[in-house]
Amino acid sequence: MKHVLKIFSLLLVISALWIGLLQASILPQSHTWLLPIYFIVSLGCYGLLMVGVGLMRFPTCPQEALLLQQDIAEAKGFLKQSGVDVGCK
Amino acid sequence: MEQKNKYSIIVPTYNERLNIALIVYLIFKHLRSRDVDFEIIVVDDGSPDGTQEVVKQLQKLYGEDHILLRPRPKKLGLGTAYIHGLKHASGNFVVIMDADLSHHPKYLPSFIKKQLETGASIVTGTRYSKGGGVHGWNLMRKLTSRGANVLAQTLLWPGVSDLTGSFRLYRKSVLEDVISSCVSKGYVFQMEMIVRASREGYHIEEVPITFVDRVFGSSKLGGSEIVEYLKGLVYLLVTT
């Protein structure tokens, strides 16, 4: 099934549940009408939270830059000896 | 009967005269000692800086059976560079990686090991997992990257943590299959590849990699790139 169809079916199920709640009057009508808004806002907040947490825990590797420089020096040394042109750019 | 595996490493280049020599040295350093059968396919798009001359010198040093130079007349795009390289690949596995040293060849053994352990069809490098990482990104860049990733995960459920990464190992037949149905350009192309592969049900594994961004002339992420990305997301949402 195409991915977008999966998302549509999910939204359809959620809408059906919402309409069911409206009709069954388990919760006060005024609250039920606002449920979609709550849902969208919670989704937005969850997204922002994920971005924030991910940003805080973003993996960095400063030591890799140093290791890379060492590798470059080693490579340049070998290649120069072997006759490959690695002249400074 | 054990079939010996051969790995074709496709490296598209444009004006990478110095980096291509360094990368070839590092690939040999990390693979030769492990008894891995490999070849490096350099797809150069007519670089004016003499990249192809350097590759020819490397061929003299390392052998033409290990370094294949398959140039093209001018800049023709990344996707077609891979297709071009694929035509000349004699291995049963294909690795794609960038030539600018943001992808370090020292991770090649871990890609190979992961594939052998799990029998996966694709092993993709991820910068966002534990053990991986990025260096050279400022806060704004990290924010954009993280925001883009959360959006893509929410919309596409791709099954991989790093969608735009381009350091990957593919089973050759799988790459041929997936690449034929991809039409995007640039990094959206990388996203399209992995999302289509995921939809097809191919077994995809990840290994953490570190990514050191170019020290000089670091690519800026402008408004137009963001628009391209969003367009790409919607395209992938609707067509995969």
Side-chain angles (χ1 to χ4, degrees), chain A residues 64-82 84 86-88, chain B residues 18-19 21-23 25-26 29-30 62 101 104 215:
Chain A
E64 290 294 330
L66 194 65
L67 288 172
L68 183 62
Q69 292 306 316
Q70 289 175 349
D71 280 333
I72 292 177
E74 177 190 321
K76 274 191 180 165
F78 175 83
L79 291 165
K80 243 193 194 104
Q81 274 187 317
S82 316
V84 178
V86 286
C88 301
Chain B
L18 174 58
N19 286 331
L22 302 174
I23 255 221
Y25 171 82
L26 289 170
K29 175 178 175 185
H30 289 280
Y62 290 107
L101 288 177
H104 199 301
V215 179

Coordinates of all heavy atoms in Angstrom, one line a residue, chain A residues 64-82 84 86-88, chain B residues 18-19 21-23 25-26 29-30 62 101 104 215:
Chain A
E64 N 37.5 13.9 15.9 CA 37.6 13.4 14.6 C 38.3 14.3 13.6 O 39.0 13.9 12.7 CB 36.2 13.0 14.0 CG 35.5 11.9 14.7 CD 36.2 10.5 14.4 OE1 36.8 10.4 13.4 OE2 36.2 9.7 15.3
A65 N 38.1 15.6 13.9 CA 38.7 16.6 13.0 C 40.2 16.5 13.1 O 41.0 16.5 12.1 CB 38.3 18.0 13.3
L66 N 40.7 16.3 14.4 CA 42.1 16.1 14.6 C 42.7 14.9 14.0 O 43.7 14.9 13.3 CB 42.4 16.1 16.1 CG 43.8 16.3 16.6 CD1 44.3 17.6 16.2 CD2 44.0 16.1 18.1
L67 N 41.9 13.8 14.2 CA 42.3 12.5 13.6 C 42.4 12.6 12.1 O 43.3 12.1 11.4 CB 41.3 11.4 14.0 CG 41.4 10.9 15.4 CD1 40.2 9.9 15.7 CD2 42.7 10.2 15.7
L68 N 41.5 13.3 11.5 CA 41.4 13.5 10.1 C 42.7 14.2 9.6 O 43.3 13.8 8.6 CB 40.2 14.2 9.6 CG 40.0 14.4 8.1 CD1 39.9 13.1 7.4 CD2 38.8 15.3 7.8
Q69 N 43.1 15.3 10.3 CA 44.3 16.0 10.0 C 45.5 15.1 10.0 O 46.4 15.2 9.2 CB 44.4 17.2 10.9 CG 43.4 18.3 10.7 CD 43.3 18.8 9.3 OE1 44.3 19.0 8.6 NE2 42.0 18.9 8.8
Q70 N 45.5 14.3 11.0 CA 46.7 13.3 11.1 C 46.7 12.4 9.9 O 47.8 12.1 9.3 CB 46.6 12.5 12.4 CG 46.9 13.3 13.7 CD 46.6 12.5 14.9 OE1 46.1 11.4 14.9 NE2 47.1 13.1 16.0
D71 N 45.5 11.9 9.6 CA 45.4 11.0 8.4 C 45.9 11.7 7.2 O 46.5 11.1 6.3 CB 44.0 10.5 8.2 CG 43.6 9.3 9.2 OD1 44.6 8.6 9.6 OD2 42.5 9.2 9.6
I72 N 45.4 12.9 7.0 CA 45.8 13.7 5.8 C 47.3 13.9 5.7 O 47.9 13.7 4.7 CB 45.1 15.1 5.8 CG1 43.6 14.9 5.6 CG2 45.7 16.0 4.7 CD1 42.8 16.2 5.6
A73 N 47.9 14.2 6.9 CA 49.4 14.4 6.9 C 50.1 13.1 6.5 O 51.0 13.0 5.7 CB 49.8 14.8 8.2
E74 N 49.6 11.9 7.1 CA 50.2 10.6 6.8 C 50.1 10.3 5.3 O 51.0 9.9 4.6 CB 49.5 9.6 7.6 CG 49.9 8.2 7.4 CD 49.0 7.2 8.1 OE1 48.6 7.5 9.2 OE2 48.7 6.1 7.5
A75 N 48.9 10.6 4.8 CA 48.6 10.3 3.3 C 49.5 11.1 2.4 O 50.1 10.6 1.5 CB 47.1 10.5 3.0
K76 N 49.6 12.4 2.8 CA 50.4 13.3 1.9 C 51.8 12.8 1.9 O 52.5 12.8 0.8 CB 50.3 14.7 2.5 CG 49.2 15.5 2.0 CD 49.3 17.0 2.3 CE 48.1 17.8 1.8 NZ 48.1 19.1 2.5
G77 N 52.3 12.5 3.1 CA 53.7 12.0 3.2 C 54.0 10.8 2.2 O 54.9 10.8 1.4
F78 N 53.1 9.8 2.4 CA 53.3 8.6 1.6 C 53.2 8.9 0.1 O 54.0 8.4 -0.7 CB 52.3 7.6 2.0 CG 52.3 6.3 1.1 CD1 53.2 5.3 1.4 CD2 51.4 6.2 0.1 CE1 53.2 4.1 0.6 CE2 51.4 5.1 -0.7 CZ 52.3 4.0 -0.5
L79 N 52.2 9.7 -0.3 CA 51.9 9.9 -1.7 C 53.0 10.7 -2.4 O 53.4 10.5 -3.5 CB 50.6 10.6 -1.9 CG 49.4 9.7 -1.5 CD1 48.1 10.5 -1.4 CD2 49.2 8.7 -2.6
K80 N 53.6 11.7 -1.6 CA 54.6 12.5 -2.2 C 55.8 11.6 -2.5 O 56.4 11.8 -3.6 CB 55.1 13.6 -1.1 CG 54.8 15.0 -1.6 CD 55.5 16.0 -0.7 CE 55.0 17.4 -1.0 NZ 54.0 17.9 0.1
Q81 N 56.1 10.7 -1.5 CA 57.3 9.8 -1.8 C 57.0 9.0 -3.0 O 58.0 8.6 -3.7 CB 57.4 8.9 -0.6 CG 58.2 9.4 0.6 CD 58.4 8.3 1.6 OE1 57.4 7.6 1.9 NE2 59.6 8.1 2.1
S82 N 55.8 8.6 -3.2 CA 55.5 7.6 -4.3 C 55.3 8.3 -5.6 O 54.9 7.7 -6.6 CB 54.3 6.8 -3.9 OG 54.3 6.4 -2.6
V84 N 53.1 10.8 -6.4 CA 51.8 11.3 -6.8 C 51.8 12.8 -6.4 O 52.2 13.2 -5.3 CB 50.7 10.6 -6.0 CG1 49.3 11.2 -6.4 CG2 50.7 9.1 -6.4
V86 N 50.7 15.8 -4.9 CA 49.7 16.3 -3.9 C 50.1 17.7 -3.5 O 50.0 18.1 -2.3 CB 49.8 15.4 -2.6 CG1 49.0 14.1 -2.9 CG2 51.2 15.1 -2.1
G87 N 50.5 18.5 -4.5 CA 50.9 19.9 -4.2 C 49.9 20.7 -3.5 O 48.7 20.4 -3.7
C88 N 50.3 21.6 -2.7 CA 49.3 22.4 -2.0 C 48.4 23.2 -2.9 O 48.8 23.7 -3.9 CB 50.1 23.5 -1.1 SG 51.2 22.7 0.0
Chain B
L18 N 43.2 17.0 -4.8 CA 43.9 16.6 -3.7 C 43.2 15.5 -2.9 O 43.7 14.5 -2.5 CB 44.2 17.8 -2.7 CG 44.8 17.5 -1.4 CD1 46.2 16.8 -1.6 CD2 45.0 18.8 -0.6
N19 N 41.9 15.7 -2.7 CA 41.1 14.8 -1.9 C 41.1 13.4 -2.4 O 41.0 12.4 -1.7 CB 39.7 15.3 -1.7 CG 39.7 16.5 -0.7 OD1 40.5 16.6 0.2 ND2 38.7 17.4 -0.9
A21 N 43.3 11.7 -4.0 CA 44.5 11.0 -3.7 C 44.5 10.6 -2.2 O 44.9 9.4 -1.9 CB 45.8 11.9 -4.0
L22 N 44.1 11.5 -1.4 CA 44.0 11.2 0.1 C 43.0 10.0 0.3 O 43.3 9.1 1.1 CB 43.6 12.4 0.9 CG 44.5 13.6 0.7 CD1 43.9 14.8 1.4 CD2 45.9 13.4 1.2
I23 N 41.9 10.1 -0.3 CA 40.9 9.1 -0.1 C 41.3 7.8 -0.6 O 41.1 6.7 0.0 CB 39.5 9.6 -0.8 CG1 38.6 10.0 0.2 CG2 39.0 8.6 -1.7 CD1 37.2 9.6 0.1
Y25 N 44.4 6.6 -0.8 CA 45.3 6.2 0.2 C 44.6 5.6 1.4 O 45.0 4.5 1.8 CB 46.3 7.3 0.6 CG 47.2 6.9 1.8 CD1 48.3 6.2 1.6 CD2 46.8 7.3 3.1 CE1 49.1 5.9 2.6 CE2 47.6 6.9 4.1 CZ 48.8 6.2 3.9 OH 49.6 5.9 5.0
L26 N 43.6 6.3 1.9 CA 43.0 5.8 3.1 C 42.1 4.5 2.9 O 42.1 3.7 3.7 CB 42.1 6.9 3.7 CG 42.9 8.1 4.3 CD1 42.0 9.3 4.6 CD2 43.6 7.7 5.5
K29 N 44.5 1.8 2.9 CA 45.1 1.6 4.2 C 44.1 0.7 5.0 O 44.5 -0.2 5.7 CB 45.2 2.9 4.9 CG 45.7 2.8 6.3 CD 45.9 4.2 7.0 CE 46.2 4.0 8.5 NZ 46.3 5.2 9.2
H30 N 42.8 1.0 4.9 CA 41.9 0.3 5.7 C 41.3 -1.0 5.2 O 40.7 -1.8 5.9 CB 40.7 1.2 6.1 CG 41.1 2.3 7.0 ND1 41.3 2.1 8.4 CD2 41.5 3.6 6.8 CE1 41.7 3.2 9.0 NE2 41.9 4.1 8.0
Y62 N 48.9 2.1 -7.7 CA 48.1 1.0 -7.1 C 47.6 0.0 -8.1 O 47.1 -1.0 -7.7 CB 46.9 1.6 -6.4 CG 47.2 2.4 -5.1 CD1 47.2 3.8 -5.1 CD2 47.6 1.7 -3.9 CE1 47.5 4.5 -3.9 CE2 47.9 2.4 -2.8 CZ 47.9 3.8 -2.8 OH 48.2 4.5 -1.7
L101 N 36.3 13.8 1.8 CA 36.8 13.4 3.1 C 35.8 13.6 4.2 O 36.1 13.4 5.4 CB 38.1 14.0 3.4 CG 39.3 13.5 2.6 CD1 40.6 14.3 3.0 CD2 39.5 12.0 2.9
H104 N 34.8 9.1 6.0 CA 36.2 8.5 6.2 C 36.2 7.1 5.9 O 35.4 6.3 6.4 CB 36.6 8.8 7.7 CG 38.0 8.7 7.9 ND1 38.8 7.5 7.6 CD2 38.9 9.6 8.4 CE1 40.0 7.7 7.8 NE2 40.2 8.9 8.3
V215 N 36.3 21.8 5.9 CA 36.9 22.9 6.7 C 36.8 24.2 6.0 O 36.5 25.3 6.6 CB 38.3 22.6 7.1 CG1 38.9 23.7 8.0 CG2 38.4 21.3 7.9

